[in-house]
Amino acid sequence: MRIKYVVGANALHYDYTASIECLANPQKPQYSGGIIINPDLNDGLKGWTGFGGAKIKHRESGSNKYIVAHSRDQPHHSVSQKLYLQKNKLYTFSAWIQVSEGKVPVTAVFKTTNGYTYAGAVVAESNCWSMLKGGLTVYTSGPAELYFESNDKLIEISVDSVSLQPFTQKQWSSHQHQSIEKTRKQKVVIQAVDKQGNPLANAKVSIEQQNSGFPFGCAINKNILNNKAYQNWFTSRFTVTSFEDEMKWYSTESTQGKEDYSVPDAMVQFAKQHSIAVRGHNVLWDDPQYQPGWVSSLSPSQLDSAVEKRLNSIMSRYKGQVIAWDVVNENLHFSFLESKIGQNASARFYKEAHKIDGSATLFMNEYNTIEDSRDGASTPAKYLQKLKEIQSYPGNTGWTIAIGLESHFTTPNLPYIRSSIDTLAATGSPIWLTELDVTSQPNQAQYLEQILREAHSHPKIQGIVIWAAWKPQGCYRMCLTDNNFKNLPTGDVVDKLLHEWGLKTLVSGTTDVNGHFEASLFHGDYEVKITHPTLVNPTSAQRFEVPPTNESKKTRLLLQVSI
């Protein structure tokens, strides 16, 4: 499947295109190759050399010309190109890769004066071409060398349609702005008329967003149940939540056969009272470290029965009360269930989950897919490989498994984040950032803002949950407030962006000669007030919704208000 969104920035566009199909021939290089010399290999080996001990050849298949690295003795032996990278530029990278046999991970690496930067990876195949899309941020100007790496030293690596396109910080921000205008907002025309339907010129119009249409939330824990200050701080900002620990198996059944849902019940009730949507986190966790204590001693058949009971117990209890479930958490990094029950364990449990609560969105929730390009276990390519395994299991076709990106960051690499989401978005599956935080450091608030802007502006991100449930002894990795619920710098970032994205923001003006007032508004619920001094009842207030709209069908929303 191939998707394409293109937005403008100073005449240099960002291309959201990504392909996750293995094609007979590679597509053309993005940005005509950018700063890569001979990007489509139509000019022999110009610009390209061998890296390490590899030998390289120029080959042709049909009308397609490409380069091959063979006789490889080390993982890094491949083809390379020398480049010069500029400080503070954001580089988006892509290439098309083929291997001589099997299905093999191949990584794009940039060797610089500061070390090695992993720009992205793909699971390449033989006899067809796969797109590797990634990126890197450059902090020091200087020479660099691009090469490709694979731990399988017996395979040949073929490369074609390579692209490396730099963007300035200003251009990158412009992409975000343009994408937000296109995907998060809609033109709304308000017409003020009198009781007879005649247009009212020079009427005063004020529009205030009451609720955002973009799901933006934060995790909570049981501390919120008896803390009014925490409740007030939280409910005035967020529309969606996950429970930090309270729904997890070790919390609800610490002793086998003795289930206790009293705490999550109360938390679900609290969320419901305040119109806050709940993500069910989590049903099962594939990390052996986070199983209930009694689980490790079970035989495979006993564990299978216990898991079936867990699935039915929690999902039936909260069916219709949660919008989503993280069904098998972190099943790329861990395989506790698979090791005990069989390699199809995750796939089976997604099938069961769909039978129990098919109305909720089922997520595969994982970390380091967009955070860390060095983590080979959970690259976008590995994520999609696992997703495909689960979806192809008998009984799992015809319904969607959503993509949950935990987003536990240290230092964000924005081009890698964007490119990774592009690749994941080619599935057509919903994508959420589910546990966003940044490690404690001097740049914590700045990095949080960068990530939130990047995620909110990406046309395929459908929701964000920050992982900052408050505890008096300190949060998991990042707090938004102090213990008196005064914002920390991270909380100020959240408030600034909520305001910027429309929450409680006042848009005002006057109607033209036809009684019209036009505004570009974020998706959400609004109240409009119209005042005109010539009328007996000079003020009229009305609620209206700006719904998310299919991009191809977007039109102006016309609202007529009679006063």
Side-chain angles (χ1 to χ4, degrees):
M1 185 177 193
R2 197 165 182 261
I3 60 163
K4 186 165 185 176
Y5 289 87
V6 180
V7 293
N10 302 337
L12 189 59
H13 303 282
Y14 180 82
D15 189 348
Y16 287 93
T17 300
S19 172
I20 56 172
E21 294 179 347
C22 203
L23 304 179
N25 289 298
Q27 295 167 356
K28 297 288 184 187
Q30 293 188 313
Y31 313 103
S32 300
I35 62 171
I36 295 291
I37 298 166
N38 189 18
D40 52 14
L41 279 301
N42 288 339
D43 199 6
L45 295 176
K46 181 181 177 183
W48 296 94
T49 57
F51 191 81
K55 296 178 181 176
I56 61 171
K57 279 184 185 175
H58 190 255
R59 285 188 187 162
E60 189 169 348
S61 176
S63 60
N64 185 50
K65 297 174 182 176
Y66 56 98
I67 193 170
V68 182
H70 63 97
S71 306
R72 300 172 56 249
D73 296 324
Q74 296 296 328
H76 63 273
H77 288 181
S78 66
V79 303
S80 74
Q81 183 163 136
K82 290 182 168 65
L83 305 152
Y84 188 88
L85 302 181
Q86 292 180 287
K87 181 181 179 180
N88 293 331
K89 290 282 181 77
L90 299 101
Y91 289 82
T92 185
F93 174 79
S94 61
W96 288 77
I97 311 293
Q98 185 178 162
V99 291
S100 52
E101 59 180 290
K103 293 186 178 182
V104 180
V106 176
T107 304
V109 185
F110 285 83
K111 180 184 177 184
T112 70
T113 52
N114 294 327
Y116 297 84
T117 300
Y118 284 48
V122 70
V123 178
E125 301 181 34
S126 57
N127 302 313
C128 59
W129 294 87
S130 300
M131 185 184 191
L132 186 163
K133 191 171 190 188
L136 67 158
T137 305
V138 176
Y139 299 102
T140 306
S141 295
E145 191 164 9
L146 160 69
Y147 68 95
F148 299 88
E149 188 171 283
S150 176
N151 288 331
D152 188 338
K153 295 176 287 187
L154 299 177
I155 56 133
E156 297 179 353
I157 301 174
S158 299
V159 178
D160 199 359
S161 294
V162 187
S163 173
L164 184 66
Q165 178 61 56
F167 292 103
T168 64
Q169 302 279 349
K170 186 177 179 182
Q171 288 168 331
W172 200 263
S173 296
S174 183
H175 300 152
Q176 294 174 341
H177 174 74
Q178 295 291 335
S179 181
I180 283 171
E181 289 294 320
K182 189 174 182 180
T183 62
R184 305 286 182 221
K185 301 176 79 173
Q186 187 168 2
K187 290 278 194 298
V188 177
V189 180
I190 308 284
Q191 185 180 37
V193 297
D194 62 20
K195 296 295 184 188
Q196 288 73 44
N198 301 311
L200 290 169
N202 297 314
K204 290 184 179 178
V205 180
S206 66
I207 305 169
E208 185 179 61
Q209 188 190 82
Q210 304 299 308
N211 293 295
S212 172
F214 180 82
F216 183 67
C218 184
I220 58 173
N221 55 39
K222 62 186 177 183
N223 290 304
I224 204 166
L225 294 175
N226 300 306
N227 190 316
K228 196 66 181 173
Y230 188 5
Q231 293 175 10
N232 292 338
W233 181 88
F234 186 88
T235 57
S236 63
R237 289 165 171 79
F238 301 116
T239 58
V240 62
T241 192
S242 296
F243 302 166
E244 189 175 36
D245 290 306
E246 287 78 2
M247 274 194 182
K248 290 170 181 170
W249 196 1
Y250 58 68
S251 295
T252 62
E253 195 180 0
S254 58
T255 302
Q256 187 173 13
K258 293 183 178 179
E259 294 180 325
D260 183 359
Y261 287 104
S262 56
V263 173
D265 281 352
M267 292 172 71
V268 167
Q269 196 57 37
F270 165 80
K272 199 179 295 183
Q273 288 168 356
H274 295 279
S275 301
I276 293 166
V278 176
R279 297 186 73 258
H281 176 79
N282 52 53
V283 181
L284 300 165
W285 200 343
D286 236 343
D287 187 344
Q289 185 181 345
Y290 294 109
Q291 307 304 321
W294 51 270
V295 161
S296 58
S297 61
L298 299 180
S299 69
S301 62
Q302 288 171 332
L303 178 60
D304 207 338
S305 298
V307 167
E308 291 281 351
K309 182 172 176 285
R310 162 67 176 174
L311 278 162
N312 278 284
S313 174
I314 191 167
M315 294 188 72
S316 298
R317 188 178 194 88
Y318 298 117
K319 181 178 180 179
Q321 299 183 77
V322 300
I323 59 167
W325 290 103
D326 294 328
V327 180
V328 183
N329 203 47
E330 298 175 355
N331 60 357
L332 286 173
H333 284 96
F334 307 104
S335 54
F336 174 78
L337 298 172
E338 285 78 4
S339 68
K340 299 280 188 178
I341 303 173
Q343 62 178 6
N344 291 323
S346 285
R348 277 180 49 212
F349 298 137
Y350 275 90
K351 181 179 177 179
E352 288 299 313
H354 182 68
K355 284 180 185 175
I356 298 164
D357 190 3
S359 61
T361 305
L362 306 183
F363 278 80
M364 202 177 103
N365 198 44
E366 191 55 80
Y367 66 90
N368 278 356
T369 302
I370 62 172
E371 301 100 301
D372 188 351
S373 59
R374 286 181 169 270
D375 190 341
S378 57
T379 62
K382 283 291 186 72
Y383 191 109
L384 294 177
Q385 193 176 41
K386 186 71 172 181
L387 192 67
K388 190 175 181 181
E389 276 177 32
I390 294 171
Q391 289 176 319
S392 61
Y393 186 75
N396 286 355
T397 55
W399 52 274
T400 299
I401 296 174
I403 294 169
L405 304 172
E406 291 185 15
S407 307
H408 297 296
F409 283 94
T410 302
T411 303
N413 176 358
L414 298 182
Y416 183 77
I417 293 169
R418 189 182 289 185
S419 294
S420 297
I421 296 170
D422 294 346
T423 298
L424 297 165
T427 60
S429 298
I431 306 175
W432 282 51
L433 270 55
T434 56
E435 305 180 17
L436 171 60
D437 62 16
V438 179
T439 52
S440 180
Q441 56 180 290
N443 294 325
Q444 186 183 52
Q446 176 191 342
Y447 288 162
L448 177 64
E449 182 173 347
Q450 288 178 2
I451 299 158
L452 284 170
R453 288 189 183 280
E454 188 61 50
H456 182 253
S457 67
H458 197 288
K460 288 299 181 180
I461 294 293
Q462 294 189 11
I464 300 171
V465 177
I466 296 172
W467 205 251
W470 175 81
K471 289 193 285 280
Q473 66 272 30
C475 309
Y476 171 59
R477 297 203 321 169
M478 181 182 80
C479 284
L480 300 178
T481 74
D482 64 17
N483 285 355
N484 295 312
F485 297 94
K486 302 297 183 187
N487 275 359
L488 297 170
T490 48
D492 287 339
V493 164
V494 168
D495 282 358
K496 178 173 77 170
L497 293 180
L498 281 171
H499 180 78
E500 196 176 303
W501 299 341
L503 189 62
K504 299 300 179 185
T505 300
L506 216 59
V507 178
S508 60
T510 56
T511 58
D512 62 17
V513 292
N514 298 310
H516 290 148
F517 175 75
E518 184 173 306
S520 178
L521 301 177
F522 283 96
H523 304 147
D525 296 319
Y526 289 84
E527 183 177 77
V528 57
K529 291 180 180 176
I530 299 180
T531 306
H532 201 274
T534 63
L535 300 176
V536 177
N537 299 312
T539 303
S540 179
Q542 185 171 321
R543 298 291 289 258
F544 68 96
E545 181 189 6
V546 181
T549 312
N550 185 303
E551 199 52 46
S552 63
K553 298 178 180 176
K554 184 168 277 195
T555 57
R556 293 196 308 172
L557 183 67
L558 180 61
L559 180 73
Q560 198 173 64
V561 180
S562 175
I563 64 172

